[in-house]
Amino acid sequence: MQLTLWTYEGPPHVGAMRIATAMQDLHYVLHAPQGDTYADLLFTMIERRQKRPPVTYTTFQARDLGSDTSELFMDAARDAEARFKPSAMIVGASCTGELIQDDPGGLSKTLGLPIPVVPLELPSYSKKENWGAAETFYQLVRTLAPHGPEAEKAADAAPSCNILGPTALGFRHRDDVTEIVGLLEAMGIHVNVVAPLDAEVRDLLALRQADFNVVLYPEIANPAAQWLKRSFRQPFTKTVPIGVNATKDFIREVADLAGLDEDSALALAQSRLPWYSRSIDSTYLTGKRVFLFGDATHVIAMARVAETEMGFKVVGLGTYSREFARDVRDAAKLYDCDALITDDYLEVEAQIQALQPEMVLGTQMERHIAKRLGIPCAVISAPVHVQDYPARYSPVMGFEGANVLFDTLVHPLTMGLEEHLLHMFRDDFEFNDAAGPSHLAHGTVPSPVSEQDNAAPVHDQATAVTPEDQDEIIWLGDAEKELKKIPFFVRGKARRNTEKYAAERGLAEISMETLYEAKSHFSR
Amino acid sequence: MTLLHEKTRRALPLPASSGCVDRPVLKERGQQEVFCGLTGIMWLHRKIQDAFFLIVGSRTCAHLMQSAAGVMIFAEPRFGTAIMEERDLAGLADMNDELDSVVEKLLARRPDIRLLFLVGSCPSEVIKLDLDRAAQRLSQIHSPQVRILNYSGSGIETTFTQGEDACLAALVPLLPPEPDSAPAALMVVGALADVVEDQFGRLFDQLGIGPVRFLPARLADDMPPVGPNTLILLAQPFLTDTVRALEERGATLIQAPYPLGADGTTAWLKAAADAFNVDAETFETVTQAPRKRAERAVGLHRENLQGKRVFFFPDSQLEIPLARFLGNELGMSALEVGTPYLDKRLMAHDIAALPEEVTISEGQHVDKQMDRCRAARPDIAVCGLGLANPLEVEGITTKWSIELVFTPIQGYEQAGDLAELFARPLNRRTRLEV
Ligand code: SF4
């Protein structure tokens, strides 16, 4: 039993959902209770997808247990096929479904559905989201790919590859794919299939037509790529093209696999990062101490960018991807630091506190930690939040990705610089919040409201900043206390409106009644 | 316009002893797209300031909590999940030891915690982990410093707001007994935002009703006493088990609609005033000014909302009282009002205020309901987060029901805010030219 406050990864069936949602005509029937339907919002709210994930939940209840939960599953699978007409189906159980042991795979076989049905065994009590995504993709490839026609190729045809690994709810997967497809096509390579993102089931049957595979996200695509190598002798790439140098390495690796000339391929290299990093404005980036945490792929790649392309100093790194612990430890050795392998965010926080970096590159979790500690931070890996799906084109892979990374890594530091300036001038009377607003006489720091002191007039020094005409208006104690109960993010507006309302009516004091009169006045 | 409104307004049935209101209900069975009761922890842990909620569950439960929380703004939230792992499932004895040590670690870390809830989940229910016994055992170890209670927020037994019902029902045995000789006291039951609670406290005070207590209290040691002279007034409509537990301890339920909108709040206060024999004149004097304010604030939105058609997907159990408010006070018409389950006794007044032609549906078959919603083309659909964007894409304006749970909407001073929550999405539609 593990005490968890926040988690980096969801359960493995959420990984399976990422595959199903990425594809166009695959449906997932999940034996799960109603509460598990929360996972839909990850895709519709966070990623802003326009369609509900193609997932049918059986939503069994306590009263169904022991009687007809398997019946429920079969009905759900039959109905889902009839309603959604998918080209293939995956079936499985969430953590609770696993415990009631209904065997969705076996049950669905008895239904005789007219489409391929791939059963998933995702152990919820030992595995996690990325593993679940990798296993699901592997099972789909393994089941479907052998049914495709054997590779046949004209002697003069261009070399071809598949791109494996991008999913729904991935960190910048959508734009990475665009970037890398463009790069490969510019090299003269035909992209046969991209999967699972936007793929159709029949695309999986065509996988074996390609000469080799490009693995963009090893956490998700490695098992499938290894199987394709064993089964169809398709080699696959090991370099993840994040950063200028890694992208160049990637080009070399791909040129080699495709039998192309390396040098003419490298001539494609075009990024602003090298010059931006050399321009003198970037001098202040030198030796900035950074800490990285995230999935293994992004942490390893970003550490290289930070150290060798931005001129930072990597002082620590780590991952929650235990499956890749060895790779991350090897990477840490390059920068003379230790790797933190954990999925406990409290340990990550403790590490950040101990190392006192000047910048954190992490996930949404580290963003919150860094915010609390006052350290600049950029998000470089899942778990993601809605702001990690920007409207603009912003890959992190390839040469445009390197440009994006330069901006991403510099941006919080400029913010950091501003904060630094604010700190420097903290004691200046105009910045010093303890001195109170400048329209109040110096030295008369108003006392905060005390329980006994209900009716005493008080100024709230933090928010009462508009002087002159409002100088005269006094907040009575209980109105002031009431104001404090209003959520902080609207409190300032409530205060301003109430003061405006009182001023317009020539009131000298604001009572609780005034507060609510004003509220109703402005309510619209 | 005001005149028109007066005409369309239906009289809100004031406290009467009429039991349930019989009308056909569309009962559905299928995929139910509603959160489980664990989600109640999201507001309960903010409300009870020295309580910690420890879910005994799976990675799914932990993931639900952080996904529903949306942003992770709390340094260390007062909730967490003891995630069961493969080796825990191997043998039960082992699991109890594991739980004990998790609790020990947790309490050592958080000495400020006075009340610990062990919250059951689907996995803990299915393997029949006895959290009742665990809570007793742990109480013996950690009392009097920490009291340990348990309830189930599992998705196989509870939907969304039912988690609060289960939590409050678990608190009832802990409430100090009030002697038979004690004077009548009012207990307002159901978590409210502090600011709303204080508004109601002042109104009851002005009405001369007292003592007034709130369940849950803000601190573990301040939980209200209960006895045969306790009168219960529900601030939330989803408290079936809590009411039953309080009634078993002698308390009496005051039948009332829920305090949403100007009329709803007036009727709710009136029910309490009548139970405490407050004379009509006092009632009028005390409620007149805030009621007028509320009516004015609601009225500002009537022009935009009047005649608009609304479709409720089942989610928070607030659907029926909300439909009543939107119909009576804003002149909107409800097409379908979905509710995860229907407690006709606790909903009696609000159901009676809904026009006959409104379909009430209980339970859910989400695909069929989406079809009905598409066919009905409402002006606004109230639904959960998973459905909102897909409906918007199809051109149907939505209001996320979860916002109605997290935002203070009860009482006079919030009536305008409540109307605004429905007006804003429609307003936004008219602004956008892209
Ligand atoms: S439905 Fe059950 S398993 Fe799912 S999150 Fe809720 S309690 Fe946990």
Side-chain angles (χ1 to χ4, degrees):
Chain A
M1 215 174 255
Q2 190 200 3
L3 176 61
T4 307
L5 303 177
W6 302 118
T7 69
Y8 285 95
E9 288 184 79
H13 71 261
V14 168
M17 282 183 73
R18 290 175 56 186
I19 305 297
T21 308
M23 291 184 59
Q24 298 198 33
D25 52 355
L26 181 70
H27 200 88
Y28 187 12
V29 179
L30 181 64
H31 209 18
Q34 61 174 343
D36 292 6
T37 60
Y38 79 88
D40 284 358
L41 77 87
L42 303 171
F43 300 91
T44 64
M45 293 295 290
I46 296 180
E47 199 180 3
R48 296 186 220 246
R49 281 190 169 257
Q50 304 199 337
K51 285 198 285 199
R52 286 168 61 209
V55 182
T56 294
Y57 306 80
T58 58
T59 62
F60 56 83
Q61 299 178 355
R63 61 166 189 251
D64 306 319
L65 292 182
S67 58
D68 53 359
T69 50
S70 28
E71 197 59 45
L72 208 61
F73 176 84
M74 293 201 283
D75 289 347
R78 218 183 280 116
D79 290 354
E81 198 282 324
R83 176 176 277 268
F84 298 103
K85 296 271 172 238
S87 306
M89 204 183 251
I90 49 179
V91 297
S94 75
C95 53
T96 312
E98 184 182 337
L99 291 175
I100 60 176
Q101 298 183 330
D102 275 340
D103 183 22
L107 290 173
S108 54
K109 250 189 226 130
T110 66
L111 290 175
L113 297 175
I115 49 169
V117 177
V118 181
L120 299 174
E121 299 275 347
L122 307 176
S124 305
Y125 298 91
S126 54
K127 301 295 188 188
K128 290 180 248 176
E129 180 179 331
N130 278 338
W131 186 91
E135 171 71 10
T136 303
F137 187 51
Y138 162 69
Q139 290 296 348
L140 278 169
V141 168
R142 207 183 97 123
T143 309
L144 297 170
H147 297 289
E150 270 184 51
E152 50 179 277
K153 193 172 161 186
D156 57 346
S160 70
C161 72
N162 303 310
I163 294 181
L164 305 181
T167 65
L169 208 68
F171 182 76
R172 306 291 167 86
H173 289 194
R174 175 195 70 194
D175 296 344
D176 284 349
V177 167
T178 308
E179 185 67 16
I180 297 306
V181 167
L183 179 66
L184 291 166
E185 282 175 351
M187 288 174 71
I189 295 166
H190 169 64
V191 176
N192 177 49
V193 167
V194 178
L197 192 62
D198 295 332
E200 293 179 29
V201 167
R202 64 160 185 225
D203 291 335
L204 299 184
L205 271 63
L207 281 172
R208 56 195 291 189
Q209 299 295 327
D211 298 325
F212 64 99
N213 288 312
V214 166
V215 170
L216 282 195
Y217 307 98
E219 275 93 343
I220 288 153
N222 260 359
Q226 274 155 0
W227 184 85
L228 288 166
K229 184 177 176 191
R230 279 199 306 276
S231 307
F232 305 130
R233 288 189 302 281
Q234 289 173 327
F236 62 91
T237 57
K238 312 282 188 319
T239 315
V240 176
I242 294 179
V244 175
N245 291 324
T247 302
K248 286 185 184 165
D249 291 349
F250 174 78
I251 290 174
R252 286 187 197 99
E253 191 182 10
V254 166
D256 186 39
L257 290 174
L260 296 172
D261 177 47
E262 204 173 85
D263 293 331
S264 53
L266 278 173
L268 294 167
Q270 256 187 3
S271 169
R272 295 191 189 95
L273 185 145
W275 164 239
Y276 271 47
S277 228
R278 280 168 201 281
S279 72
I280 55 167
D281 184 72
S282 298
T283 310
Y284 80 99
L285 303 175
T286 312
K288 285 272 178 211
R289 307 170 67 255
V290 296
F291 175 83
L292 300 98
F293 197 85
D295 67 20
T297 301
H298 287 89
V299 160
I300 294 170
M302 301 282 182
R304 182 176 177 192
V305 174
E307 180 105 357
T308 66
E309 299 179 18
M310 301 296 288
F312 296 153
K313 172 80 199 105
V314 174
V315 294
L317 52 75
T319 186
Y320 56 80
S321 317
R322 282 184 192 277
E323 295 90 346
F324 290 77
R326 172 124 56 89
D327 302 293
V328 174
R329 287 205 180 89
D330 288 347
K333 283 188 203 129
L334 298 175
Y335 312 109
D336 280 330
C337 59
D338 291 329
L340 176 64
I341 314 293
T342 182
D343 53 9
D344 181 349
Y345 94 112
L346 292 174
E347 275 186 51
V348 180
E349 177 164 41
Q351 179 87 327
I352 293 174
Q353 261 169 324
L355 291 170
Q356 291 291 323
E358 288 163 281
M359 171 142 99
V360 173
L361 304 179
T363 72
Q364 284 294 330
M365 224 77 80
E366 284 66 45
R367 192 172 70 81
H368 285 280
I369 295 173
K371 203 163 155 194
R372 270 200 303 284
L373 300 175
I375 303 171
C377 176
V379 175
I380 55 143
S381 159
V384 285
H385 199 52
V386 65
Q387 70 228 47
D388 299 314
Y389 294 91
R392 65 181 186 279
Y393 180 57
S394 44
V396 292
M397 290 188 173
F399 294 119
E400 183 57 25
N403 295 339
V404 169
L405 276 183
F406 181 89
D407 292 346
T408 307
L409 269 50
V410 166
H411 180 76
L413 285 175
T414 359
M415 303 296 282
L417 193 68
E418 277 162 18
E419 268 186 43
H420 185 68
L421 286 172
L422 286 177
H423 263 287
M424 272 172 64
F425 291 110
R426 219 184 158 71
D427 292 329
D428 189 296
F429 72 94
E430 285 196 78
F431 285 91
N432 184 356
D433 46 24
S438 45
H439 67 280
L440 292 176
H442 277 285
T444 56
V445 177
S447 57
V449 188
S450 70
E451 288 299 323
Q452 297 78 14
D453 201 16
N454 266 349
V458 205
H459 286 277
D460 183 325
Q461 24 169 348
T463 43
V465 283
T466 35
E468 289 99 42
D469 54 325
Q470 280 159 31
D471 252 2
E472 315 299 320
I473 298 176
I474 285 167
W475 283 79
L476 295 177
D478 52 355
E480 179 84 13
K481 275 178 73 180
E482 197 71 4
L483 183 68
K484 294 222 166 92
K485 293 174 197 157
I486 294 172
F488 70 92
F489 48 89
V490 289
R491 196 184 299 147
K493 183 170 157 219
R495 171 181 289 278
R496 281 192 303 280
N497 280 350
T498 309
E499 287 175 351
K500 186 164 157 231
Y501 178 88
E504 283 168 0
R505 279 157 191 74
L507 301 175
E509 292 180 337
I510 291 173
S511 67
M512 186 125 61
E513 204 66 8
T514 326
L515 174 66
Y516 283 119
E517 287 291 349
K519 184 167 185 289
S520 100
H521 177 79
F522 287 105
S523 156
R524 52 178 60 234
Chain B
M1 197 187 66
T2 316
L3 274 178
L4 183 75
H5 161 63
E6 293 301 341
K7 259 189 281 170
T8 56
R9 196 167 198 162
R10 299 167 64 95
L12 195 59
L14 285 176
S17 55
S18 68
C20 67
V21 179
D22 280 320
R23 60 189 290 161
V25 170
L26 173 64
K27 296 204 182 196
E28 283 209 294
R29 187 71 214 279
Q31 176 172 325
Q32 181 138 330
E33 183 97 4
V34 183
F35 287 149
C36 59
L38 294 184
T39 338
I41 294 171
M42 222 65 78
W43 60 89
L44 288 167
H45 90 283
R46 305 303 294 164
K47 182 72 203 177
I48 312 176
Q49 295 159 10
D50 53 0
F52 193 101
F53 293 79
L54 180 65
I55 299 160
V56 184
S58 65
R59 180 165 299 281
T60 315
C61 308
H63 198 235
L64 157 90
M65 289 302 289
Q66 83 184 41
S67 306
V71 280
M72 297 159 272
I73 49 171
F74 312 121
E76 255 197 83
R78 282 195 313 281
F79 62 81
T81 309
I83 295 184
M84 299 193 283
E85 293 163 314
E86 212 160 38
R87 60 196 170 87
D88 299 314
L89 296 170
L92 271 180
D94 187 11
M95 185 99 90
N96 287 319
D97 294 347
E98 290 275 321
L99 182 58
D100 290 5
S101 78
V102 165
V103 168
E104 185 125 347
K105 255 206 296 216
L106 178 72
L107 293 177
R109 238 190 114 77
R110 301 297 302 264
D112 52 323
I113 297 305
R114 303 298 313 277
L115 180 58
L116 174 68
F117 287 99
L118 304 178
V119 187
S121 65
C122 304
S124 76
E125 300 289 331
V126 170
I127 63 164
K128 301 198 160 51
L129 182 62
D130 192 342
L131 292 182
D132 260 325
R133 282 249 301 283
Q136 281 167 23
R137 182 179 67 239
L138 285 160
S139 276
Q140 278 168 9
I141 305 173
H142 298 282
S143 68
Q145 179 54 32
V146 187
R147 275 182 280 187
I148 297 166
L149 297 174
N150 73 292
Y151 71 89
S152 171
S154 82
I156 55 175
E157 284 163 327
T158 60
T159 77
F160 197 15
T161 49
Q162 260 181 312
E164 176 174 330
D165 186 26
C167 172
L168 298 189
L171 271 173
V172 171
L174 204 78
L175 305 182
E178 181 120 282
D180 293 5
S181 58
L186 182 66
M187 187 194 283
V188 178
V189 185
L192 290 166
D194 290 355
V195 64
V196 178
E197 198 175 290
D198 293 347
Q199 288 163 8
F200 285 149
R202 285 193 299 271
L203 284 169
F204 287 127
D205 194 44
Q206 288 162 18
L207 288 168
I209 296 174
V212 178
R213 290 128 182 183
F214 293 88
L215 182 69
R218 296 175 201 184
L219 293 172
D221 286 340
D222 296 345
M223 292 301 163
V226 62
N229 297 314
T230 304
L231 294 170
I232 313 164
L233 185 61
L234 293 184
Q236 303 284 6
F238 40 73
L239 298 171
T240 308
D241 289 353
T242 309
V243 169
R244 193 178 307 128
L246 287 167
E247 284 175 334
E248 274 163 21
R249 294 201 50 187
T252 307
L253 176 67
I254 303 176
Q255 292 275 0
Y258 294 91
L260 300 176
D263 294 358
T265 304
T266 304
W268 187 75
L269 291 169
K270 185 79 171 77
D274 289 350
F276 281 80
N277 298 318
V278 177
D279 63 82
E281 201 183 328
T282 309
F283 186 78
E284 184 58 24
T285 317
V286 170
T287 55
Q288 192 187 36
R291 192 178 71 227
K292 286 264 143 60
R293 266 202 307 263
E295 283 171 358
R296 203 167 57 223
V298 170
L300 292 173
H301 300 288
R302 195 169 301 120
E303 199 176 348
N304 290 330
L305 292 174
Q306 182 128 34
K308 294 278 193 284
R309 297 144 68 248
V310 56
F311 189 107
F312 284 91
F313 284 82
D315 205 52
S316 65
Q317 293 289 123
L318 287 166
E319 293 81 12
I320 291 172
L322 284 170
R324 182 263 296 158
F325 162 71
L326 295 177
N328 275 0
E329 301 190 32
L330 287 157
M332 293 174 75
S333 58
L335 298 167
E336 173 170 340
V337 182
T339 183
Y341 62 95
L342 187 57
D343 181 333
K344 286 190 173 170
R345 180 186 173 215
L346 297 190
M347 287 293 185
H349 290 273
D350 291 271
I351 292 181
L354 287 185
E356 291 295 333
E357 62 273 18
V358 177
T359 306
I360 295 180
S361 61
E362 180 183 13
Q364 192 177 28
H365 185 302
V366 72
D367 295 314
K368 287 187 190 165
Q369 199 173 27
M370 291 281 279
D371 288 346
R372 287 200 301 276
C373 181
R374 288 182 187 114
R377 300 300 301 175
D379 296 299
I380 188 163
V382 182
C383 62
L385 293 175
L387 303 180
N389 270 336
L391 284 170
E392 292 277 353
V393 171
E394 296 182 28
I396 295 173
T397 303
T398 60
K399 168 79 249 132
W400 328 331
S401 45
I402 196 164
E403 203 177 357
L404 297 159
V405 177
F406 285 127
T407 313
I409 56 169
Q410 296 82 2
Y412 288 131
E413 315 299 353
Q414 284 64 237
D417 302 347
L418 177 57
E420 208 264 337
L421 284 177
F422 291 90
R424 196 186 311 152
L426 290 166
N427 175 331
R428 183 165 179 75
R429 277 267 157 154
T430 64
R431 282 166 193 254
L432 298 182
E433 291 177 14
V434 291

PDB file of all heavy atoms in Angstrom, chain B residues 284-299:
ATOM      1  N   GLU B 284     -41.569  38.994   7.339  1.00  0.00           N
ATOM      2  CA  GLU B 284     -41.593  39.956   6.252  1.00  0.00           C
ATOM      3  C   GLU B 284     -40.523  41.029   6.473  1.00  0.00           C
ATOM      4  O   GLU B 284     -39.768  41.375   5.559  1.00  0.00           O
ATOM      5  CB  GLU B 284     -43.006  40.569   6.159  1.00  0.00           C
ATOM      6  CG  GLU B 284     -43.223  41.538   5.014  1.00  0.00           C
ATOM      7  CD  GLU B 284     -42.952  40.916   3.647  1.00  0.00           C
ATOM      8  OE1 GLU B 284     -43.032  39.678   3.509  1.00  0.00           O
ATOM      9  OE2 GLU B 284     -42.634  41.683   2.718  1.00  0.00           O
ATOM     10  N   THR B 285     -40.438  41.537   7.687  1.00  0.00           N
ATOM     11  CA  THR B 285     -39.477  42.597   7.980  1.00  0.00           C
ATOM     12  C   THR B 285     -38.041  42.136   7.731  1.00  0.00           C
ATOM     13  O   THR B 285     -37.231  42.843   7.141  1.00  0.00           O
ATOM     14  CB  THR B 285     -39.585  43.024   9.468  1.00  0.00           C
ATOM     15  OG1 THR B 285     -40.960  43.106   9.800  1.00  0.00           O
ATOM     16  CG2 THR B 285     -38.893  44.347   9.718  1.00  0.00           C
ATOM     17  N   VAL B 286     -37.760  40.945   8.183  1.00  0.00           N
ATOM     18  CA  VAL B 286     -36.380  40.460   8.074  1.00  0.00           C
ATOM     19  C   VAL B 286     -36.014  40.123   6.634  1.00  0.00           C
ATOM     20  O   VAL B 286     -34.921  40.428   6.160  1.00  0.00           O
ATOM     21  CB  VAL B 286     -36.180  39.215   8.976  1.00  0.00           C
ATOM     22  CG1 VAL B 286     -34.828  38.556   8.698  1.00  0.00           C
ATOM     23  CG2 VAL B 286     -36.299  39.603  10.441  1.00  0.00           C
ATOM     24  N   THR B 287     -36.955  39.489   5.911  1.00  0.00           N
ATOM     25  CA  THR B 287     -36.577  38.978   4.593  1.00  0.00           C
ATOM     26  C   THR B 287     -36.793  39.973   3.459  1.00  0.00           C
ATOM     27  O   THR B 287     -36.258  39.789   2.379  1.00  0.00           O
ATOM     28  CB  THR B 287     -37.366  37.693   4.254  1.00  0.00           C
ATOM     29  OG1 THR B 287     -38.768  37.973   4.362  1.00  0.00           O
ATOM     30  CG2 THR B 287     -36.991  36.554   5.187  1.00  0.00           C
ATOM     31  N   GLN B 288     -37.553  41.030   3.753  1.00  0.00           N
ATOM     32  CA  GLN B 288     -37.944  41.891   2.647  1.00  0.00           C
ATOM     33  C   GLN B 288     -36.758  42.465   1.853  1.00  0.00           C
ATOM     34  O   GLN B 288     -36.669  42.289   0.636  1.00  0.00           O
ATOM     35  CB  GLN B 288     -38.829  43.027   3.156  1.00  0.00           C
ATOM     36  CG  GLN B 288     -39.500  43.765   2.017  1.00  0.00           C
ATOM     37  CD  GLN B 288     -40.250  44.985   2.497  1.00  0.00           C
ATOM     38  OE1 GLN B 288     -39.806  45.660   3.427  1.00  0.00           O
ATOM     39  NE2 GLN B 288     -41.379  45.247   1.880  1.00  0.00           N
ATOM     40  N   ALA B 289     -35.839  43.087   2.565  1.00  0.00           N
ATOM     41  CA  ALA B 289     -34.739  43.768   1.863  1.00  0.00           C
ATOM     42  C   ALA B 289     -33.870  42.788   1.070  1.00  0.00           C
ATOM     43  O   ALA B 289     -33.651  42.986  -0.128  1.00  0.00           O
ATOM     44  CB  ALA B 289     -33.907  44.571   2.858  1.00  0.00           C
ATOM     45  N   PRO B 290     -33.376  41.725   1.702  1.00  0.00           N
ATOM     46  CA  PRO B 290     -32.548  40.809   0.903  1.00  0.00           C
ATOM     47  C   PRO B 290     -33.332  40.129  -0.214  1.00  0.00           C
ATOM     48  O   PRO B 290     -32.784  39.844  -1.277  1.00  0.00           O
ATOM     49  CB  PRO B 290     -32.042  39.780   1.921  1.00  0.00           C
ATOM     50  CG  PRO B 290     -32.920  39.896   3.108  1.00  0.00           C
ATOM     51  CD  PRO B 290     -33.424  41.309   3.117  1.00  0.00           C
ATOM     52  N   ARG B 291     -34.634  39.892   0.009  1.00  0.00           N
ATOM     53  CA  ARG B 291     -35.417  39.239  -1.030  1.00  0.00           C
ATOM     54  C   ARG B 291     -35.544  40.167  -2.242  1.00  0.00           C
ATOM     55  O   ARG B 291     -35.359  39.754  -3.375  1.00  0.00           O
ATOM     56  CB  ARG B 291     -36.803  38.882  -0.495  1.00  0.00           C
ATOM     57  CG  ARG B 291     -37.562  37.948  -1.416  1.00  0.00           C
ATOM     58  CD  ARG B 291     -38.904  37.563  -0.848  1.00  0.00           C
ATOM     59  NE  ARG B 291     -39.839  38.670  -0.868  1.00  0.00           N
ATOM     60  CZ  ARG B 291     -40.602  39.033   0.160  1.00  0.00           C
ATOM     61  NH1 ARG B 291     -40.535  38.374   1.310  1.00  0.00           N
ATOM     62  NH2 ARG B 291     -41.415  40.060   0.058  1.00  0.00           N
ATOM     63  N   LYS B 292     -35.800  41.425  -1.956  1.00  0.00           N
ATOM     64  CA  LYS B 292     -35.896  42.397  -3.051  1.00  0.00           C
ATOM     65  C   LYS B 292     -34.576  42.456  -3.819  1.00  0.00           C
ATOM     66  O   LYS B 292     -34.555  42.500  -5.040  1.00  0.00           O
ATOM     67  CB  LYS B 292     -36.229  43.787  -2.483  1.00  0.00           C
ATOM     68  CG  LYS B 292     -37.673  43.913  -2.030  1.00  0.00           C
ATOM     69  CD  LYS B 292     -38.533  44.550  -3.138  1.00  0.00           C
ATOM     70  CE  LYS B 292     -39.936  43.954  -3.225  1.00  0.00           C
ATOM     71  NZ  LYS B 292     -40.723  44.103  -2.003  1.00  0.00           N
ATOM     72  N   ARG B 293     -33.502  42.462  -3.051  1.00  0.00           N
ATOM     73  CA  ARG B 293     -32.172  42.489  -3.688  1.00  0.00           C
ATOM     74  C   ARG B 293     -32.006  41.286  -4.601  1.00  0.00           C
ATOM     75  O   ARG B 293     -31.529  41.407  -5.725  1.00  0.00           O
ATOM     76  CB  ARG B 293     -31.091  42.415  -2.611  1.00  0.00           C
ATOM     77  CG  ARG B 293     -30.581  43.738  -2.161  1.00  0.00           C
ATOM     78  CD  ARG B 293     -29.214  43.646  -1.531  1.00  0.00           C
ATOM     79  NE  ARG B 293     -29.059  42.685  -0.463  1.00  0.00           N
ATOM     80  CZ  ARG B 293     -29.140  42.987   0.839  1.00  0.00           C
ATOM     81  NH1 ARG B 293     -29.412  44.209   1.220  1.00  0.00           N
ATOM     82  NH2 ARG B 293     -28.945  42.058   1.733  1.00  0.00           N
ATOM     83  N   ALA B 294     -32.365  40.132  -4.073  1.00  0.00           N
ATOM     84  CA  ALA B 294     -32.199  38.903  -4.851  1.00  0.00           C
ATOM     85  C   ALA B 294     -33.062  38.952  -6.102  1.00  0.00           C
ATOM     86  O   ALA B 294     -32.620  38.604  -7.197  1.00  0.00           O
ATOM     87  CB  ALA B 294     -32.546  37.691  -3.999  1.00  0.00           C
ATOM     88  N   GLU B 295     -34.299  39.425  -5.945  1.00  0.00           N
ATOM     89  CA  GLU B 295     -35.192  39.483  -7.107  1.00  0.00           C
ATOM     90  C   GLU B 295     -34.636  40.424  -8.164  1.00  0.00           C
ATOM     91  O   GLU B 295     -34.686  40.148  -9.360  1.00  0.00           O
ATOM     92  CB  GLU B 295     -36.594  39.930  -6.674  1.00  0.00           C
ATOM     93  CG  GLU B 295     -37.367  38.801  -6.006  1.00  0.00           C
ATOM     94  CD  GLU B 295     -38.671  39.263  -5.364  1.00  0.00           C
ATOM     95  OE1 GLU B 295     -38.963  40.485  -5.409  1.00  0.00           O
ATOM     96  OE2 GLU B 295     -39.384  38.404  -4.806  1.00  0.00           O
ATOM     97  N   ARG B 296     -34.071  41.533  -7.679  1.00  0.00           N
ATOM     98  CA  ARG B 296     -33.498  42.493  -8.622  1.00  0.00           C
ATOM     99  C   ARG B 296     -32.319  41.855  -9.363  1.00  0.00           C
ATOM    100  O   ARG B 296     -32.197  41.938 -10.577  1.00  0.00           O
ATOM    101  CB  ARG B 296     -33.048  43.734  -7.862  1.00  0.00           C
ATOM    102  CG  ARG B 296     -32.967  44.974  -8.721  1.00  0.00           C
ATOM    103  CD  ARG B 296     -32.839  46.205  -7.833  1.00  0.00           C
ATOM    104  NE  ARG B 296     -31.689  46.126  -6.949  1.00  0.00           N
ATOM    105  CZ  ARG B 296     -31.697  46.474  -5.665  1.00  0.00           C
ATOM    106  NH1 ARG B 296     -32.793  46.934  -5.109  1.00  0.00           N
ATOM    107  NH2 ARG B 296     -30.600  46.384  -4.943  1.00  0.00           N
ATOM    108  N   ALA B 297     -31.469  41.187  -8.601  1.00  0.00           N
ATOM    109  CA  ALA B 297     -30.272  40.594  -9.205  1.00  0.00           C
ATOM    110  C   ALA B 297     -30.647  39.505 -10.198  1.00  0.00           C
ATOM    111  O   ALA B 297     -30.065  39.391 -11.268  1.00  0.00           O
ATOM    112  CB  ALA B 297     -29.356  40.042  -8.110  1.00  0.00           C
ATOM    113  N   VAL B 298     -31.636  38.694  -9.836  1.00  0.00           N
ATOM    114  CA  VAL B 298     -32.092  37.644 -10.760  1.00  0.00           C
ATOM    115  C   VAL B 298     -32.734  38.294 -11.982  1.00  0.00           C
ATOM    116  O   VAL B 298     -32.496  37.886 -13.115  1.00  0.00           O
ATOM    117  CB  VAL B 298     -33.089  36.694 -10.056  1.00  0.00           C
ATOM    118  CG1 VAL B 298     -33.743  35.765 -11.067  1.00  0.00           C
ATOM    119  CG2 VAL B 298     -32.374  35.885  -8.977  1.00  0.00           C
ATOM    120  N   GLY B 299     -33.519  39.353 -11.717  1.00  0.00           N
ATOM    121  CA  GLY B 299     -34.252  40.012 -12.792  1.00  0.00           C
ATOM    122  C   GLY B 299     -33.352  40.534 -13.895  1.00  0.00           C
ATOM    123  O   GLY B 299     -33.758  40.588 -15.061  1.00  0.00           O
TER     124      GLY B 299
END
